Amino acid sequence: MLELSLRLGGTNRLEGALFLGEASLFLTLSYPWAGSVVAWLGDLGLEAGYEGAPYAWVRYAWRWP
């Protein structure tokens, strides 16, 4: 499934998401200049982006049964 959204206001933002089973990919671009790419595979996520300075995160989602 592909999802796109455009938000206009104080910060203009374009967001896109692609969902393929347990894998997902998110792209966010905004003005003033910032952006990020997030990839999830199951409970493990990787994020890289720029918001005044470059950054990167490794995330883990702990889900309660």
Coordinates of all heavy atoms in Angstrom, one line a residue:
M1 N 0.8 -1.2 0.0 CA 0.0 0.0 0.0 C 0.9 1.2 0.0 O 1.9 1.3 0.7 CB -0.9 0.0 1.2 CG -1.8 1.2 1.3 SD -3.0 1.0 2.7 CE -2.3 2.2 3.8
L2 N 0.5 2.2 -0.8 CA 1.3 3.5 -0.8 C 0.4 4.6 -0.3 O -0.8 4.7 -0.7 CB 1.7 3.8 -2.3 CG 2.4 5.1 -2.6 CD1 3.8 5.1 -1.9 CD2 2.6 5.3 -4.0
E3 N 0.9 5.4 0.5 CA 0.2 6.5 1.1 C 1.0 7.8 0.9 O 2.2 7.9 1.2 CB 0.0 6.2 2.6 CG -0.7 7.3 3.4 CD -0.8 6.9 4.8 OE1 -1.3 5.8 5.1 OE2 -0.4 7.7 5.7
L4 N 0.4 8.9 0.5 CA 1.0 10.2 0.3 C 0.2 11.3 1.0 O -1.0 11.2 0.9 CB 1.1 10.5 -1.2 CG 2.1 9.7 -2.0 CD1 1.9 10.0 -3.5 CD2 3.5 9.8 -1.6
S5 N 0.8 12.3 1.6 CA 0.1 13.4 2.1 C 0.9 14.7 2.0 O 2.2 14.6 2.0 CB -0.2 13.1 3.6 OG 0.9 13.1 4.4
L6 N 0.3 15.8 1.8 CA 0.9 17.1 1.7 C 0.3 18.0 2.7 O -1.0 18.2 2.7 CB 0.7 17.6 0.3 CG 1.3 19.0 0.0 CD1 2.8 19.1 0.2 CD2 0.9 19.5 -1.4
R7 N 1.1 18.6 3.6 CA 0.6 19.4 4.6 C 1.1 20.8 4.4 O 2.3 21.0 4.3 CB 1.0 18.9 6.0 CG 0.4 17.6 6.3 CD 0.8 17.1 7.7 NE 0.3 15.7 7.8 CZ 0.6 15.0 8.8 NH1 1.4 15.4 9.8 NH2 0.1 13.8 8.9
L8 N 0.3 21.8 4.3 CA 0.7 23.2 4.1 C 0.3 24.0 5.3 O -0.7 23.9 5.9 CB 0.0 23.8 2.9 CG 0.2 23.0 1.6 CD1 -0.6 23.5 0.4 CD2 1.7 23.1 1.2
G9 N 1.3 24.9 5.7 CA 1.1 25.8 6.9 C 2.4 26.4 7.2 O 3.2 26.7 6.4
G10 N 2.7 26.5 8.5 CA 3.9 27.1 9.0 C 5.1 26.3 8.5 O 6.1 26.9 8.2
T11 N 5.0 25.0 8.5 CA 6.0 24.1 7.9 C 5.3 23.3 6.9 O 4.4 22.5 7.2 CB 6.6 23.2 9.0 OG1 7.2 24.0 10.0 CG2 7.6 22.3 8.5
N12 N 5.7 23.4 5.6 CA 5.2 22.7 4.5 C 5.8 21.3 4.6 O 7.1 21.2 4.7 CB 5.4 23.3 3.2 CG 4.8 24.7 3.2 OD1 3.7 24.9 3.6 ND2 5.5 25.7 2.7
R13 N 5.1 20.2 4.5 CA 5.6 18.9 4.6 C 5.0 17.9 3.6 O 3.8 17.9 3.4 CB 5.4 18.4 6.0 CG 5.8 17.0 6.3 CD 5.6 16.6 7.7 NE 6.9 17.0 8.3 CZ 7.0 17.0 9.6 NH1 6.1 16.6 10.4 NH2 8.2 17.3 10.1
L14 N 5.8 17.2 2.9 CA 5.4 16.1 2.0 C 5.8 14.8 2.6 O 7.0 14.6 3.0 CB 6.0 16.3 0.6 CG 5.8 15.2 -0.4 CD1 4.3 15.1 -0.7 CD2 6.6 15.4 -1.6
E15 N 4.9 13.9 2.8 CA 5.1 12.6 3.4 C 4.7 11.5 2.5 O 3.6 11.6 1.9 CB 4.4 12.4 4.8 CG 4.8 13.5 5.8 CD 4.0 13.4 7.1 OE1 2.9 12.8 7.1 OE2 4.5 13.9 8.1
G16 N 5.5 10.4 2.5 CA 5.1 9.2 1.7 C 5.4 8.0 2.5 O 6.4 8.0 3.3
A17 N 4.6 7.0 2.4 CA 4.8 5.7 3.1 C 4.5 4.6 2.2 O 3.5 4.6 1.4 CB 3.9 5.7 4.3
L18 N 5.3 3.5 2.2 CA 5.1 2.3 1.5 C 5.1 1.2 2.4 O 6.1 1.0 3.2 CB 6.2 2.2 0.4 CG 6.2 0.9 -0.4 CD1 4.9 0.9 -1.3 CD2 7.4 0.8 -1.3
F19 N 4.1 0.4 2.4 CA 3.9 -0.8 3.3 C 3.9 -2.1 2.5 O 3.1 -2.2 1.6 CB 2.6 -0.7 4.1 CG 2.5 0.6 4.9 CD1 1.8 1.7 4.4 CD2 3.1 0.7 6.2 CE1 1.7 2.9 5.1 CE2 3.0 1.9 6.9 CZ 2.3 3.0 6.4
L20 N 4.8 -3.0 2.9 CA 4.9 -4.3 2.2 C 5.0 -5.4 3.3 O 6.1 -5.7 3.7 CB 6.1 -4.3 1.3 CG 6.2 -3.3 0.2 CD1 7.5 -3.3 -0.5 CD2 5.1 -3.7 -0.9
G21 N 3.9 -5.9 3.7 CA 3.9 -6.9 4.8 C 4.5 -6.4 6.1 O 4.1 -5.4 6.6
E22 N 5.6 -7.0 6.6 CA 6.3 -6.5 7.8 C 7.3 -5.4 7.5 O 7.8 -4.8 8.5 CB 7.0 -7.7 8.5 CG 6.0 -8.6 9.2 CD 6.7 -9.4 10.3 OE1 7.7 -8.9 10.8 OE2 6.1 -10.4 10.6
A23 N 7.6 -5.1 6.3 CA 8.5 -4.0 5.9 C 7.8 -2.8 5.6 O 6.7 -2.8 5.0 CB 9.4 -4.5 4.7
S24 N 8.3 -1.6 5.9 CA 7.7 -0.3 5.6 C 8.8 0.7 5.4 O 9.9 0.6 6.0 CB 6.7 0.1 6.7 OG 7.4 0.2 7.9
L25 N 8.5 1.7 4.5 CA 9.5 2.7 4.2 C 8.8 4.0 4.2 O 7.7 4.2 3.7 CB 10.1 2.5 2.8 CG 11.1 3.5 2.3 CD1 12.4 3.4 3.1 CD2 11.4 3.2 0.8
F26 N 9.3 5.0 4.9 CA 8.7 6.4 5.1 C 9.7 7.4 4.6 O 10.9 7.3 4.9 CB 8.4 6.7 6.5 CG 7.4 5.7 7.2 CD1 7.9 4.6 7.8 CD2 6.1 5.8 7.1 CE1 7.1 3.6 8.4 CE2 5.2 4.9 7.6 CZ 5.7 3.8 8.3
L27 N 9.2 8.4 3.9 CA 10.0 9.5 3.4 C 9.3 10.8 3.8 O 8.1 10.9 3.5 CB 10.2 9.4 1.9 CG 10.8 10.6 1.2 CD1 12.3 10.8 1.6 CD2 10.7 10.6 -0.3
T28 N 10.0 11.7 4.4 CA 9.4 13.0 4.8 C 10.3 14.1 4.3 O 11.5 14.1 4.6 CB 9.3 13.1 6.3 OG1 8.5 12.1 6.8 CG2 8.7 14.4 6.7
L29 N 9.8 15.1 3.6 CA 10.5 16.3 3.1 C 9.7 17.5 3.6 O 8.5 17.5 3.5 CB 10.6 16.3 1.6 CG 11.4 15.1 1.0 CD1 11.3 15.2 -0.5 CD2 12.8 15.1 1.4
S30 N 10.4 18.5 4.1 CA 9.7 19.7 4.6 C 10.5 20.9 4.3 O 11.7 20.9 4.1 CB 9.4 19.6 6.1 OG 10.6 19.5 6.8
Y31 N 9.8 22.1 4.3 CA 10.4 23.4 4.1 C 9.9 24.2 5.3 O 8.7 24.3 5.5 CB 9.9 24.0 2.8 CG 10.5 25.4 2.6 CD1 11.8 25.5 2.1 CD2 9.8 26.5 3.0 CE1 12.4 26.8 2.0 CE2 10.4 27.8 2.9 CZ 11.7 27.9 2.4 OH 12.3 29.1 2.3
P32 N 10.8 24.9 6.1 CA 12.2 25.0 6.0 C 12.9 23.7 5.9 O 12.4 22.7 6.5 CB 12.6 25.8 7.2 CG 11.4 26.3 7.8 CD 10.2 25.5 7.3
W33 N 14.0 23.6 5.2 CA 14.7 22.4 4.8 C 14.9 21.4 5.9 O 15.6 21.7 6.8 CB 16.0 22.7 4.1 CG 15.7 23.6 2.9 CD1 16.1 24.9 2.8 CD2 15.0 23.3 1.7 NE1 15.7 25.4 1.6 CE2 15.0 24.5 0.9 CE3 14.4 22.2 1.3 CZ2 14.4 24.5 -0.3 CZ3 13.8 22.2 0.0 CH2 13.8 23.4 -0.7
A34 N 14.3 20.3 5.7 CA 14.5 19.1 6.6 C 14.0 17.9 5.9 O 13.2 18.0 4.9 CB 13.8 19.3 7.9
G35 N 14.4 16.7 6.3 CA 13.9 15.5 5.7 C 14.4 14.3 6.4 O 15.3 14.4 7.2
S36 N 13.7 13.2 6.2 CA 14.1 11.9 6.8 C 13.6 10.8 6.0 O 12.7 10.9 5.2 CB 13.5 11.8 8.2 OG 12.1 11.7 8.2
V37 N 14.3 9.7 6.2 CA 14.0 8.4 5.6 C 14.0 7.4 6.7 O 14.9 7.3 7.5 CB 15.0 7.9 4.5 CG1 14.7 6.5 4.0 CG2 15.0 8.9 3.4
V38 N 12.9 6.6 6.9 CA 12.7 5.6 7.9 C 12.4 4.3 7.3 O 11.5 4.2 6.5 CB 11.6 6.1 8.9 CG1 11.5 5.0 10.0 CG2 11.9 7.4 9.5
A39 N 13.1 3.3 7.7 CA 12.8 1.9 7.2 C 12.5 1.0 8.4 O 13.3 1.0 9.4 CB 14.0 1.4 6.4
W40 N 11.5 0.2 8.4 CA 11.1 -0.7 9.4 C 11.1 -2.1 8.8 O 10.5 -2.3 7.7 CB 9.8 -0.4 10.0 CG 9.8 0.7 11.0 CD1 9.6 2.0 10.7 CD2 10.1 0.6 12.4 NE1 9.7 2.8 11.9 CE2 10.0 1.9 12.9 CE3 10.4 -0.4 13.3 CZ2 10.3 2.2 14.3 CZ3 10.7 -0.1 14.6 CH2 10.6 1.2 15.1
L41 N 11.6 -3.1 9.5 CA 11.5 -4.5 9.2 C 11.2 -5.2 10.5 O 12.0 -5.4 11.3 CB 12.8 -5.0 8.6 CG 12.8 -6.5 8.1 CD1 11.7 -6.7 7.1 CD2 14.1 -6.9 7.5
G42 N 9.9 -5.6 10.6 CA 9.4 -6.1 11.8 C 9.5 -5.1 12.9 O 8.9 -4.0 12.8
D43 N 10.2 -5.4 14.0 CA 10.3 -4.5 15.2 C 11.6 -3.6 15.1 O 11.8 -2.8 16.0 CB 10.3 -5.3 16.5 CG 9.0 -6.0 16.7 OD1 8.0 -5.5 16.1 OD2 9.0 -7.0 17.4
L44 N 12.4 -3.7 14.1 CA 13.6 -3.0 14.0 C 13.5 -1.9 13.0 O 13.1 -2.1 11.9 CB 14.8 -3.9 13.7 CG 16.2 -3.3 13.6 CD1 16.6 -2.8 15.0 CD2 17.2 -4.3 13.1
G45 N 13.9 -0.6 13.4 CA 13.7 0.5 12.5 C 15.0 1.3 12.4 O 15.8 1.4 13.4
L46 N 15.3 1.8 11.2 CA 16.5 2.7 11.0 C 16.0 4.0 10.5 O 15.1 4.0 9.6 CB 17.4 2.0 9.9 CG 17.9 0.7 10.3 CD1 18.6 0.1 9.1 CD2 18.9 0.8 11.4
E47 N 16.5 5.1 11.0 CA 16.1 6.4 10.5 C 17.3 7.3 10.3 O 18.2 7.3 11.1 CB 15.2 7.1 11.6 CG 14.8 8.5 11.2 CD 13.8 9.2 12.2 OE1 13.4 8.5 13.2 OE2 13.5 10.4 12.0
A48 N 17.3 8.0 9.2 CA 18.4 9.0 8.9 C 17.7 10.2 8.3 O 16.7 10.1 7.6 CB 19.3 8.4 7.9
G49 N 18.3 11.4 8.7 CA 17.7 12.6 8.2 C 18.5 13.8 8.4 O 19.6 13.7 8.9
Y50 N 17.9 14.9 8.2 CA 18.5 16.2 8.4 C 17.5 17.2 8.9 O 16.4 17.3 8.3 CB 19.1 16.8 7.0 CG 19.7 18.1 7.2 CD1 21.0 18.2 7.6 CD2 19.0 19.3 6.9 CE1 21.6 19.5 7.7 CE2 19.6 20.5 7.1 CZ 20.9 20.6 7.5 OH 21.5 21.8 7.7
E51 N 17.8 17.8 10.0 CA 17.0 18.8 10.6 C 17.9 19.8 11.3 O 18.0 19.8 12.5 CB 16.0 18.2 11.6 CG 14.9 19.1 12.0 CD 13.8 18.5 12.8 OE1 13.6 17.3 12.6 OE2 13.2 19.1 13.7
G52 N 18.5 20.7 10.5 CA 19.5 21.6 11.0 C 20.9 20.9 11.1 O 21.9 21.6 11.0
A53 N 20.9 19.7 11.2 CA 22.2 18.8 11.3 C 21.8 17.4 10.9 O 20.7 17.0 11.2 CB 22.8 18.9 12.6
P54 N 22.7 16.6 10.4 CA 22.4 15.3 10.0 C 22.2 14.4 11.3 O 22.9 14.7 12.3 CB 23.6 14.8 9.2 CG 24.5 15.9 9.1 CD 24.0 17.0 9.9
Y55 N 21.4 13.4 11.3 CA 21.2 12.5 12.4 C 20.8 11.1 11.9 O 20.4 10.9 10.7 CB 20.1 13.0 13.3 CG 18.7 13.0 12.8 CD1 17.9 11.9 12.9 CD2 18.2 14.1 12.1 CE1 16.6 11.8 12.3 CE2 16.9 14.1 11.5 CZ 16.1 12.9 11.7 OH 14.9 12.9 11.1
A56 N 21.0 10.1 12.8 CA 20.6 8.8 12.5 C 20.2 8.1 13.8 O 20.8 8.4 14.8 CB 21.8 8.0 11.8
W57 N 19.2 7.2 13.7 CA 18.7 6.5 14.8 C 18.5 5.0 14.4 O 18.1 4.7 13.3 CB 17.3 7.0 15.2 CG 17.3 8.3 15.9 CD1 17.1 9.5 15.2 CD2 17.5 8.6 17.2 NE1 17.1 10.5 16.1 CE2 17.4 10.0 17.4 CE3 17.7 7.9 18.4 CZ2 17.5 10.7 18.6 CZ3 17.9 8.5 19.6 CH2 17.7 9.9 19.7
V58 N 18.7 4.1 15.4 CA 18.3 2.7 15.3 C 17.3 2.6 16.4 O 17.5 2.9 17.5 CB 19.5 1.8 15.6 CG1 19.0 0.3 15.6 CG2 20.6 2.0 14.5
R59 N 16.1 2.1 16.0 CA 15.0 1.9 16.9 C 14.5 0.5 17.0 O 14.6 -0.2 16.0 CB 13.8 2.8 16.5 CG 14.2 4.3 16.4 CD 13.1 5.1 15.9 NE 13.5 6.5 15.8 CZ 12.9 7.5 16.2 NH1 11.7 7.4 16.7 NH2 13.4 8.7 16.0
Y60 N 14.0 0.1 18.2 CA 13.4 -1.2 18.4 C 12.1 -1.0 19.0 O 12.0 -0.3 20.0 CB 14.3 -2.1 19.2 CG 13.7 -3.4 19.4 CD1 13.8 -4.4 18.4 CD2 13.1 -3.8 20.6 CE1 13.3 -5.6 18.6 CE2 12.5 -5.0 20.8 CZ 12.6 -6.0 19.8 OH 12.1 -7.2 19.9
A61 N 11.0 -1.6 18.5 CA 9.7 -1.5 19.1 C 9.4 -2.7 19.9 O 9.4 -3.8 19.4 CB 8.6 -1.4 18.0
W62 N 9.2 -2.5 21.2 CA 8.9 -3.6 22.1 C 7.4 -3.7 22.2 O 6.7 -2.8 22.7 CB 9.5 -3.3 23.5 CG 9.4 -4.4 24.5 CD1 8.5 -5.5 24.4 CD2 10.1 -4.5 25.7 NE1 8.7 -6.3 25.5 CE2 9.6 -5.7 26.3 CE3 11.1 -3.8 26.3 CZ2 10.1 -6.2 27.5 CZ3 11.6 -4.2 27.5 CH2 11.1 -5.4 28.1
R63 N 6.8 -4.7 21.7 CA 5.4 -4.9 21.7 C 4.9 -5.9 22.8 O 5.5 -6.9 22.9 CB 4.9 -5.4 20.3 CG 5.4 -4.4 19.2 CD 5.1 -5.0 17.9 NE 5.9 -4.4 16.8 CZ 5.5 -3.3 16.2 NH1 4.4 -2.7 16.5 NH2 6.3 -2.8 15.3
W64 N 3.9 -5.5 23.5 CA 3.3 -6.3 24.5 C 2.3 -7.2 23.9 O 1.5 -6.8 23.1 CB 2.7 -5.5 25.6 CG 3.6 -4.7 26.4 CD1 3.9 -3.4 26.1 CD2 4.5 -5.1 27.5 NE1 4.9 -2.9 27.0 CE2 5.2 -3.9 27.8 CE3 4.6 -6.3 28.2 CZ2 6.1 -4.0 28.9 CZ3 5.5 -6.3 29.2 CH2 6.3 -5.2 29.6
P65 N 2.3 -8.5 24.2 CA 1.3 -9.4 23.6 C -0.1 -9.2 24.1 O -0.4 -8.6 25.0 CB 1.8 -10.8 24.1 CG 2.8 -10.6 25.2 CD 3.2 -9.2 25.1

